[in-house]
Amino acid sequence: MAGGLVVVLGAGVGVWASGDGGGGSPAGSAADRAAGTSGGVSGDPAPSASGASPTPTRSYALSKAPRTIPAVRAHTPARGPGWRPAAERRVVVSDADLADEGRLVAGELGMTYAGERDDVRAGDLRLALNDDEGANPESYTMTVRGGRVTVSGPTDAGVFYGTRTLKQEVRGGGTAPEGVVRDEPAKPRRGFMLDIARKNFTAGWIEARVRELGDLKFNEIGLHFSDDQAFRIESDTHPEIVSRQHLTKAQVRKIVDLAESRHITVVPEIDSPGHLGAVLAAHPELQLRNASGVATRGAIDISKDASAALLDDLLDEYAELFPGGQWHLGGDEYQALTVSDPEASYPQLAAAARERYGSGATVADLATGWLDDRADTVRTHDRTVRAWNDGFFKGTSVKADAALQVAYWTGKEIGARPPTDYLSAGREVVNYNDEYLYYVLGQPQTFVYPTGQRIYEQWTPRVLRGTTPVPARYDGQILGGTFAVWCDLANSQTQDQVAAGIRMPLRATVQKLWDPGAPELSWTQFKALADRLG
């Protein structure tokens, strides 16, 4: 945040009194000059040669910071009428790369998109790229002055977020308040994850969530589309694994395109080596079995070369479908490692570990090598890779790839380690804390539906496990957080009930990811604001 800003965080969307003495200083006063704007309306006559100022026809109170979700980080107030959209007013861009953002906001605000223009007209909304190379790439500046608005940022993503702020201002109060907003997110990863494997969500429902997420300045949507219950996306390399109810690739491409237009990355997850029941139903020869020949639910036999070949086929295939830079490998709850003696229970895994990594290698070493190999496959497609924290094992001779990011969700697994174990080793972490951020259908085990109020009042990105934050020195390694919907008891709620249930938790989560400070609004005020914004 630039030094010298006057930050005003008063309540309400800017409302200005009209008429003489409308609550502000007289036009042309020292306060007006300090705010960088005339106290009168645009077009007021200039002072006379004698130095006497004419009587203004209208004066304005100092503007208040806009009320948005997430809250803007800084606002420099000014005096003026603010800005409203109108059909005859233009959206113009200073760079052709902003055409998509310009067309979108023009349609949303009922304005005319006029393309790349250099001329200036009253009422314009101008989108521009700036050359501030050192700035946060998702930052933006929005200036409302002289009856016009300019939104600028170092990237089109930043400019897009500025248009989301403007859209909310207009929706919440009808007028964008005079002054300058300078805004940027505290965390680069702001996500929502959806389990479409256990519950079939329609493409239209997912698209509606993408639009909602975009307006809230989220930048990720994760799709967990393979699990024991189903495999939910069309496959060309292995059509035999696809469930009857699934998304076609054409539907997925439409979702991906819509997400890209909102600067949202779709993060796919094919969980392995556990949670593969739907895949293994079509490939029983790859099912993991213990020493007694009993099948292990959802687990693939990682001692077999064919198992790796199958997973790599899928990872390569879906890398084309999901071109974003992020990928989730899963890695959690491999049932071979939940027994008291994995080497005795699964001798074929123990033998494969020793053959590959030496006489002292364990099943945990083999599972770590599996995860590293899948990460190598995905990295050939230039992806950044994450895995669940219980896919990282302590005391193994084989080490998980140093670049693997940790998706920290729980501290309840066998051999659970605190988040500081991963952070002190230098790993980057994404917060999926199941205490606050897990919406598990049917509330099985000890899960309860999270409330927006609890997230808003208690959670921060540093609260990775349980309710206790990690030390502040690790804040830079925590990339952000993800609110997750899991469908363990899929029929417990309809799609519409899920959408309603996650509405306020999503808003609370992004508030805490965007702004690192304690929220200024009470929960009651925040909820009322959300209701007003829609």
Side-chain angles (χ1 to χ4, degrees):
M1 187 166 64
L5 283 182
V6 180
V7 180
V8 173
L9 295 174
V13 176
V15 178
W16 301 268
S18 61
D20 294 342
S25 302
S29 71
D32 294 319
R33 293 191 296 273
T37 179
S38 166
V41 295
S42 177
D44 280 349
S48 66
S50 67
S53 298
T55 301
T57 58
R58 181 179 296 178
S59 61
Y60 299 95
L62 202 62
S63 64
K64 302 287 183 67
R67 285 299 188 205
T68 59
I69 297 176
V72 300
R73 301 281 295 277
H75 176 250
T76 304
R79 301 181 191 278
W83 178 91
R84 289 177 181 267
E88 67 275 10
R89 291 184 166 182
R90 306 185 307 174
V91 175
V92 297
V93 299
S94 298
D95 191 297
D97 288 345
L98 296 173
D100 289 344
E101 287 72 24
R103 289 189 182 95
L104 177 62
V105 74
E108 291 171 329
L109 299 183
M111 298 175 67
T112 300
Y113 178 67
E116 194 172 1
R117 300 291 181 92
D118 293 328
D119 63 313
V120 176
R121 293 186 186 176
D124 276 357
L125 165 57
R126 178 171 293 277
L127 311 183
L129 295 174
N130 59 42
D131 56 1
D132 189 354
E133 295 181 359
N136 183 320
E138 294 184 301
S139 66
Y140 68 91
T141 299
M142 182 171 66
T143 303
V144 180
R145 180 182 296 140
R148 293 185 296 275
V149 181
T150 299
V151 178
S152 64
T155 67
D156 52 353
V159 173
F160 172 74
Y161 296 135
T163 67
R164 300 307 87 190
T165 293
L166 183 63
K167 179 182 176 182
Q168 285 196 28
E169 287 177 332
V170 170
R171 180 186 294 169
T175 302
E178 205 86 3
V180 181
V181 168
R182 291 184 175 88
D183 202 12
E184 65 181 39
K187 293 298 181 183
R189 306 255 59 88
R190 305 177 301 280
F192 168 63
M193 195 228 75
L194 182 64
D195 171 13
I196 66 172
R198 294 180 178 91
K199 183 177 180 68
N200 182 56
F201 289 87
T202 65
W205 190 93
I206 298 171
E207 290 169 10
R209 300 289 73 71
V210 169
R211 294 186 183 93
E212 179 182 14
L213 295 171
D215 281 354
L216 293 170
K217 303 187 178 85
F218 281 89
N219 64 3
E220 285 187 356
I221 179 169
L223 294 180
H224 176 93
F225 64 92
S226 169
D227 213 301
D228 294 342
Q229 292 78 2
F231 191 99
R232 295 284 189 189
I233 296 178
E234 175 185 1
S235 174
D236 298 318
T237 61
H238 290 281
E240 72 281 359
I241 69 175
V242 179
S243 301
R244 182 182 63 82
Q245 287 186 308
H246 65 271
L247 297 173
T248 68
K249 286 191 171 182
Q251 288 173 318
V252 173
R253 290 190 180 99
K254 186 179 177 185
I255 291 167
V256 169
D257 288 347
L258 178 65
E260 287 182 344
S261 76
R262 267 66 175 176
H263 298 275
I264 294 171
T265 298
V266 182
V267 184
E269 182 192 356
I270 302 175
D271 202 348
S272 80
H275 292 282
L276 283 170
V279 171
L280 292 169
H283 289 274
E285 73 281 4
L286 301 180
Q287 175 78 55
L288 178 65
R289 297 180 180 276
N290 67 15
S292 301
V294 177
T296 302
R297 177 177 169 82
I300 200 167
D301 190 336
I302 58 176
S303 71
K304 296 183 176 181
D305 291 342
S307 296
L310 172 60
L311 263 294
D312 287 344
D313 282 348
L314 296 172
L315 295 174
D316 287 334
E317 175 180 0
Y318 290 105
E320 177 275 331
L321 188 62
F322 296 101
Q326 303 289 318
W327 199 282
H328 201 316
L329 286 175
D332 65 313
E333 299 180 326
Y334 188 48
Q335 296 301 308
L337 291 167
T338 63
V339 298
S340 59
D341 189 346
E343 285 70 37
S345 295
Y346 299 96
Q348 76 277 35
L349 299 184
R354 292 191 297 270
E355 180 179 355
R356 183 169 181 181
Y357 299 114
S359 60
T362 65
V363 174
D365 287 313
L366 191 68
T368 301
W370 169 276
L371 197 64
D372 286 348
D373 290 345
R374 306 294 76 73
D376 288 344
T377 298
V378 172
R379 284 206 193 91
T380 63
H381 302 283
D382 195 27
R383 303 293 194 270
T384 298
V385 187
R386 70 187 71 163
W388 298 115
N389 60 284
D390 51 333
F392 295 77
F393 306 108
K394 187 176 183 179
T396 55
S397 59
V398 179
K399 302 302 179 186
D401 190 303
L404 263 175
Q405 295 174 351
V406 178
Y408 198 99
W409 72 281
T410 191
K412 301 168 186 169
E413 76 275 14
I414 294 173
R417 288 184 286 157
T420 51
D421 273 19
Y422 305 89
L423 294 164
S424 62
R427 290 197 184 274
E428 295 178 320
V429 176
V430 180
N431 189 328
Y432 290 76
N433 186 341
D434 65 348
E435 177 74 21
Y436 292 95
L437 306 180
Y438 263 34
Y439 192 95
V440 185
L441 296 198
Q443 303 182 107
Q445 301 173 41
T446 59
F447 288 107
V448 295
Y449 292 130
T451 66
Q453 182 173 1
R454 190 161 182 257
I455 296 168
Y456 189 78
E457 295 178 344
Q458 299 179 20
W459 180 80
T460 73
R462 284 172 45 214
V463 181
L464 286 161
R465 172 180 173 178
T467 60
T468 304
V470 299
R473 66 180 178 273
Y474 294 123
D475 187 67
Q477 290 170 244
I478 301 170
L479 302 179
T482 296
F483 186 87
V485 171
W486 293 102
C487 302
D488 292 41
L489 299 173
N491 295 324
S492 300
Q493 290 191 340
T494 66
Q495 289 187 142
D496 289 345
Q497 287 173 323
V498 172
I502 66 177
R503 180 177 174 274
M504 288 309 300
L506 283 176
R507 283 151 177 78
T509 299
V510 81
Q511 172 62 38
K512 305 303 280 290
L513 291 169
W514 189 272
D515 188 341
E520 186 206 355
L521 299 182
S522 69
W523 170 251
T524 300
Q525 292 170 324
F526 184 80
K527 188 175 185 303
L529 174 63
D531 291 342
R532 188 169 80 243
L533 296 178

